[in-house]
Amino acid sequence: MGVNSNRVEDFSSQETTLRITTESIVPGMEIHNVCLPPKKTTLQKLKQRLGEIFFPDDPLYRFKNQTWCKKLLLGLQFLFPIFQWGPEYSLRLLRSDIISGLTIASLAIPQGISYAKLANLPPIVGLYSSFVPPLIYSILGSSRHLGVGPVSIASLVMGSMLSETVSPHDEPILYLKLAFTATFFAGLFQASLGFLRLGFVIDFLSKATLVGFMAGAAVIVSLQQLKGLLGIVHFTTKMQFIPVISSVFNHRDEWSWQTIVLGISFLVFLLTSRHIIFNGLTQSMKRPKLFWVSAAAPLTSVILSTILVLCFKLKTHKISIIGYLPKGLNPPSANMLSFSGPDLALAIKTGIVTGILSLTEGIAVGRTFAALKNYQVDGNKEMMAIGLMNMAGSCSSCYVTTGSFSRSAVNYNAGAQTAVSNIIMATAVLVTLLFLMPLFYYTPNVILGAIIVTAVIGLIDYQAAYRLWKVDKLDFLACMCSFFGVLFISVPSGLGIAVGVSVFKILLHVTRPNTLIMGNIRGTNVYQCLGRYKEASRIPSFLVLAIESPIYFANSTYLQERILRWIREEEDWIKANNEDTLKCVILDMTAVTAIDTSGIDLVCELRKMLEKRSFQLVLANPVGSVMEKLHQSKTLDSFGLNGIYLTVGEAVADISALWKSQP
């Protein structure tokens, strides 16, 4: 059935082949029909759209045409990835996992203690967080190499957000309750994103935003560690650049030369080891012994510094030490979760922010190492696994955990084969909790500060910032806003500013889309941007414009004004160059992926305005959904026989031939 034109076909069947018009006027040029998409009910369209939004990977395709027993097994494997690789597990794999598990345990133990300090939590909580969450992830997670535990960025954000309202020193019990409650809400938020398949929410934290945010956070965290590295007793709790620097120089009388010497010595050792780990990943695999030694550098530093302080404790009394740490398994903390009271909003806000950050890091790290071994990591499964392990962790004296890049890099290079390496690491932490805690009594706090600085300094990616400047100035602006916002205002405010700049960038692209004037590549039927291709040239009496975005209410007014401006500028150019009078405006709608009612009104109004000026408006190659809406709104009825074509080339050829045939 034609739609007011012999070039528009309505196919109610599933046939999608274009019918070719036989009455082509131009020899050698076939004018094709522009077809409507196959008819679908509203329910079918809704089902397809929701499927594309929430199930782009079609996760249930493996269940099709399977027996009930097979479906049950596939269901278990889908929910618990351990059932996928568990039946094929062997002693050879166990040997590799034991080595890698013990290796990352040597990193996890000092990191756990240090990062807990970064979050203003008791050091033992950091070790607790390296025991329960890895066990849960090994059952639910889909990554083979992800090393689970506390991470610097989430620890920093939790510590800074909670300490702005509650002092960890004056109200330690309340602070601990809020930390566990925030962890629960972080896990609930993460698991909900995975269950509802809403992972695209974390995409609002763009790469540019994270580069600036992490760099600013790394600088602030490093400056905060000057308290431990210099031996200062009284230090500001604020997380801004100016108060921290002021506190450092206002307490020069508290500087301890013993602490400074010890801190600088081990900081140099740790930075050298970090260089071996992260700047020589491929080389270190060729020299695994060197890699394992460098990976164990944090634990080595803890052991050596503890021995030094113990041996010279009479002469090192000015060096602050950790002190007593309780032995034993994670005590239950479900009774400490608080779901009421004036601080609930703070716990929820902290949980959501730390949840988003830790989820972004965990999924990015998992996918990075999965790509190196050519296997896939299911993002939604990872969200549920990380969320559930944080919910369980909040009930067992743990705070926010995720996949750590440093642990994962060590895990990967140590030869990990499966998630069993996390079980081995958790077992090593368990042994430490049960039997080795008294050994950390004389561990100096300055070593924890050195470990933190070593860990967070890698977050300053100046090369990525330079690439942003070269490629996209708006991305660089978002990066800098995030960086300086964290540095001079606060960590959450800096993140909020960066997200705001990123959203502004999205709105800018939506409301101010690109429009291009197109020309013909000589000797072909190809039309490209005149400003981009020197060999492209204007077609006399035609103005070919391309719109490179959907047409929505947000940009319809702008597009109308911009198209009219293109027409005015084209008429000025024609007058200046004594060219043929403009007769036809062709809109190339190849990149117009969607249109709403405001966009349809734009097309109608534009056609009427051009018709009053004796111009013809022609549409070229509208996509299926756009074509369908134009048909349903009866807009196509007003375009006549020569108002819509499959390509710009066919439109120019056919309309030119019609002009020539007219007397």
Side-chain angles (χ1 to χ4, degrees):
M1 178 181 66
V3 183
N4 201 36
S5 171
N6 62 354
R7 292 186 177 82
V8 181
E9 283 292 316
D10 182 1
F11 286 87
S12 58
S13 66
Q14 294 301 314
E15 180 187 356
T16 57
T17 305
L18 293 175
R19 183 170 61 80
I20 298 175
T21 304
T22 57
E23 67 271 17
S24 175
I25 300 175
V26 181
M29 171 64 73
E30 295 177 334
I31 308 301
H32 297 77
N33 291 324
V34 181
C35 300
L36 293 170
K39 286 186 177 179
K40 293 181 179 178
T41 65
T42 302
L43 185 61
Q44 288 175 325
K45 293 177 184 178
L46 180 62
K47 181 180 178 181
Q48 180 183 1
R49 188 59 180 159
L50 291 177
E52 291 174 354
I53 293 174
F54 297 106
F55 304 98
D57 55 344
D58 190 14
L60 302 179
Y61 76 96
R62 291 174 295 179
F63 293 85
K64 296 176 182 177
N65 302 320
Q66 299 290 344
T67 64
W68 281 106
C69 292
K70 184 66 174 177
K71 287 182 179 179
L72 178 61
L73 178 61
L74 290 174
L76 287 173
Q77 292 177 347
F78 181 79
L79 295 174
F80 305 100
I82 192 172
F83 286 105
Q84 292 181 0
W85 51 264
E88 300 176 359
Y89 200 73
S90 64
L91 290 175
R92 179 182 61 83
L93 297 177
L94 179 62
R95 177 180 176 275
S96 299
D97 286 336
I98 288 176
I99 294 173
S100 58
L102 293 175
T103 305
I104 57 173
S106 67
L107 182 67
I109 293 171
Q111 273 192 351
I113 296 173
S114 303
Y115 291 162
K117 179 174 176 287
L118 188 58
N120 298 318
L121 293 168
I124 193 66
V125 174
L127 287 181
Y128 291 157
S129 302
S130 298
F131 172 52
V132 172
L135 293 176
I136 297 174
Y137 181 83
S138 63
I139 298 173
L140 300 175
S142 58
S143 173
R144 304 173 195 168
H145 301 95
L146 199 67
V148 174
V151 293
S152 56
I153 195 69
S155 303
L156 161 69
V157 172
M158 175 172 283
S160 61
M161 291 184 71
L162 293 181
S163 59
E164 286 182 355
T165 304
V166 179
S167 171
H169 305 292
D170 299 337
E171 300 176 282
I173 302 300
L174 176 59
Y175 188 90
L176 198 58
K177 287 182 177 180
L178 290 178
F180 293 149
T181 306
T183 300
F184 176 84
F185 282 110
L188 181 64
F189 178 72
Q190 292 166 336
S192 299
L193 288 182
F195 181 76
L196 299 175
R197 304 184 72 84
L198 297 174
F200 58 84
V201 171
I202 65 175
D203 293 337
F204 280 97
L205 283 178
S206 65
K207 173 69 174 178
T209 298
L210 289 175
V211 167
F213 175 76
M214 290 190 294
V219 172
I220 284 295
V221 169
S222 299
L223 292 176
Q224 274 281 346
Q225 303 317 305
L226 291 175
K227 173 185 178 182
L229 293 173
L230 299 176
I232 299 175
V233 178
H234 302 91
F235 200 76
T236 181
T237 58
K238 296 181 179 180
M239 297 293 291
Q240 293 86 32
F241 180 82
I242 294 176
V244 171
I245 293 298
S246 299
S247 185
V248 169
F249 289 99
N250 289 338
H251 297 91
R252 290 192 299 270
D253 56 318
E254 296 182 4
W255 292 12
S256 167
W257 69 266
Q258 298 101 322
T259 303
I260 295 173
V261 170
L262 187 66
I264 292 177
S265 301
F266 280 99
L267 185 59
V268 171
F269 170 66
L270 288 166
L271 289 173
T272 304
S273 301
R274 184 191 176 280
H275 178 79
I276 294 174
I277 294 176
F278 295 106
N279 293 351
L281 287 176
T282 55
Q283 297 178 1
S284 62
M285 285 188 283
K286 299 176 183 177
R287 304 173 67 184
K289 291 184 179 179
L290 176 61
F291 180 82
W292 291 338
V293 170
S294 60
L299 184 60
T300 304
S301 300
V302 169
I303 294 172
L304 290 178
S305 62
T306 302
I307 293 174
L308 285 174
V309 171
L310 181 62
C311 292
F312 300 98
K313 58 183 178 182
L314 294 178
K315 297 182 179 180
T316 58
H317 60 278
K318 289 189 177 182
I319 298 179
S320 173
I321 59 176
I322 291 179
Y324 172 75
L325 293 176
K327 292 194 298 182
L329 292 176
N330 296 31
S333 58
N335 61 321
M336 298 186 72
L337 300 180
S338 178
F339 300 112
S340 61
D343 297 315
L344 179 60
L346 173 64
I348 294 175
K349 182 174 71 172
T350 304
I352 291 176
V353 173
T354 55
I356 291 176
L357 289 172
S358 59
L359 199 59
T360 302
E361 179 174 354
I363 293 178
V365 171
R367 287 176 174 168
T368 298
F369 289 99
L372 295 176
K373 285 294 185 178
N374 197 29
Y375 69 93
Q376 283 189 321
V377 168
D378 189 320
N380 289 293
K381 285 184 184 177
E382 290 296 285
M383 292 179 198
M384 287 190 285
I386 294 173
L388 290 173
M389 78 180 185
N390 277 318
M391 291 175 69
S394 67
C395 299
S396 54
S397 300
C398 305
Y399 75 106
V400 174
T401 55
T402 188
S404 162
F405 180 77
S406 57
R407 295 191 196 192
S408 300
V410 171
N411 199 28
Y412 175 86
N413 284 276
Q417 299 295 321
T418 68
V420 170
S421 59
N422 274 300
I423 298 176
I424 302 300
M425 179 196 71
T427 304
V429 173
L430 171 63
V431 173
T432 303
L433 287 170
L434 291 177
F435 306 108
L436 304 181
M437 296 313 298
L439 300 180
F440 292 98
Y441 184 89
Y442 286 101
T443 299
N445 284 312
V446 64
I447 293 302
L448 303 183
I451 292 173
I452 291 174
V453 171
T454 305
V456 301
I457 201 171
L459 300 176
I460 305 175
D461 193 348
Y462 61 90
Q463 292 179 335
Y466 178 72
R467 286 195 298 271
L468 292 174
W469 169 256
K470 296 288 289 185
V471 175
D472 192 319
K473 300 300 187 292
L474 275 177
D475 272 350
F476 181 77
L477 176 62
C479 176
M480 289 296 99
C481 286
S482 180
F483 177 76
F484 289 111
V486 170
L487 213 58
F488 292 102
I489 305 176
S490 69
V491 172
S493 298
L495 184 61
I497 291 171
V499 171
V501 173
S502 297
V503 172
F504 171 75
K505 179 185 174 183
I506 295 172
L507 294 176
L508 189 63
H509 285 305
V510 170
T511 58
R512 295 294 183 268
N514 283 337
T515 56
L516 306 172
I517 182 169
M518 311 283 280
N520 176 245
I521 305 294
R522 295 181 183 87
T524 71
N525 287 320
V526 176
Y527 286 76
Q528 287 293 344
C529 177
L530 282 175
R532 182 179 174 190
Y533 292 90
K534 293 182 180 179
E535 59 270 33
S537 60
R538 285 177 165 86
I539 304 299
S541 301
F542 286 92
L543 174 61
V544 183
L545 299 175
I547 301 174
E548 296 186 332
S549 82
I551 303 178
Y552 292 135
F553 66 93
N555 60 24
S556 59
T557 301
Y558 166 79
L559 285 174
Q560 178 176 310
E561 294 173 351
R562 190 65 184 91
I563 291 171
L564 293 176
R565 177 183 165 188
W566 277 120
I567 295 172
R568 185 177 69 250
E569 292 174 349
E570 183 69 8
E571 289 180 316
D572 293 341
W573 183 88
I574 288 173
K575 289 179 182 178
N577 293 274
N578 296 318
E579 295 288 338
D580 293 341
T581 305
L582 181 64
K583 297 180 181 179
C584 180
V585 177
I586 300 176
L587 293 184
D588 184 357
M589 303 183 72
T590 304
V592 180
T593 57
I595 192 169
D596 65 1
T597 53
S598 297
I600 293 172
D601 290 341
L602 161 67
V603 174
C604 294
E605 288 297 321
L606 193 61
R607 186 196 60 78
K608 292 177 182 178
M609 294 173 68
L610 296 184
E611 193 175 67
K612 290 179 181 179
R613 299 173 62 178
S614 300
F615 296 150
Q616 181 181 359
L617 178 64
V618 173
L619 307 180
N621 195 27
V623 300
S625 60
V626 173
M627 188 70 182
E628 185 177 28
K629 289 186 178 181
L630 291 174
H631 167 52
Q632 291 173 343
S633 64
K634 306 298 182 182
T635 303
L636 293 179
D637 295 352
S638 60
F639 274 81
L641 294 176
N642 306 103
I644 186 164
Y645 289 84
L646 187 62
T647 67
V648 173
E650 291 183 10
V652 171
D654 194 33
I655 294 173
S656 297
L658 287 172
W659 289 344
K660 290 179 182 178
S661 66
Q662 293 174 354

